[in-house]
Amino acid sequence: MKIRNYVVVVLLIASAYAAEPQSDKQQILSLEDDWVRALKTHDRKVLDQIVGRDFTFIEPDGTIKNRDQYLADRSSDSYENESFENTDLEIKVFGKSALASGLAHITERRSGKTYRFSVRWKEMWLKDTGKWQVVASQATPVNPNWDSSFMINE
């Protein structure tokens, strides 16, 4: 009898933890991971779910891309991500909005050349009908000696 009661209590506790919804911060961190995987695999469907309809992106060279331009570029086969690692992730939630920031270390191949660079990024996320989407993002170069083609050397 005691064993059966013990098993019931353990199962109830386990189910309570399993049913506990992710916090907003955890949801955004999970979406950040999904975003990186989608960039590596050029998964337009996943990118389309993460990127909000009014999304704008500021490239490291200052170019501004709207949602359609960003999705077309990031889901094309014009480049290959050899590695993409986010570090220093911070998420600050303010009700139905959040700021996310981090440092991305990226190695990619474009037109037969390998580029290695790091960018510090900042994103604005909004929660609408219970779903988080990114609506703005900016990537700023952090390494003055990087070998990317859009670095201006004077």
Side-chain angles (χ1 to χ4, degrees):
M1 184 71 166
K2 286 184 181 184
I3 292 174
R4 191 177 98 191
N5 289 342
Y6 176 76
V7 169
V8 169
V9 169
V10 168
L11 289 174
L12 286 173
I13 291 171
S15 66
Y17 280 108
E20 186 176 308
Q22 284 186 318
S23 71
D24 288 329
K25 181 177 178 178
Q26 290 169 322
Q27 289 176 45
I28 293 169
L29 286 170
S30 179
L31 287 166
E32 290 288 354
D33 288 341
D34 294 344
W35 195 352
V36 168
R37 276 192 297 281
L39 290 172
K40 287 181 179 178
T41 60
H42 309 277
D43 190 334
R44 174 75 182 240
K45 184 178 178 185
V46 171
L47 290 171
D48 198 46
Q49 293 170 356
I50 293 170
V51 175
R53 70 178 170 272
D54 295 324
F55 178 79
T56 57
F57 181 70
I58 301 174
E59 293 278 6
D61 68 351
T63 303
I64 299 173
K65 290 189 175 175
N66 64 29
R67 181 184 199 276
D68 293 337
Q69 293 166 326
Y70 178 85
L71 291 174
D73 181 54
R74 297 315 195 267
S75 61
S76 78
D77 291 329
S78 65
Y79 74 99
E80 177 187 346
N81 267 316
E82 292 182 1
S83 68
F84 193 123
E85 178 189 6
N86 272 331
T87 60
D88 299 342
L89 286 159
E90 283 192 41
I91 310 292
K92 295 184 178 159
V93 178
F94 306 96
K96 293 185 182 264
S97 64
L99 289 175
S101 63
L103 179 62
H105 305 282
I106 303 166
T107 302
E108 64 184 32
R109 291 187 58 75
R110 289 182 183 261
S111 304
K113 294 182 179 179
T114 301
Y115 299 97
R116 286 173 296 285
F117 54 95
S118 296
V119 292
R120 182 144 318 262
W121 51 265
K122 178 76 81 180
E123 298 161 351
M124 175 69 160
W125 290 79
L126 293 179
K127 190 174 191 178
D128 186 26
T129 61
K131 179 179 168 187
W132 286 101
Q133 286 190 309
V134 64
V135 294
S137 181
Q138 177 175 352
T140 303
V142 295
N143 183 353
N145 297 317
W146 65 345
D147 60 359
S148 184
S149 62
F150 50 82
M151 184 69 182
I152 299 171
N153 294 317
E154 293 185 31

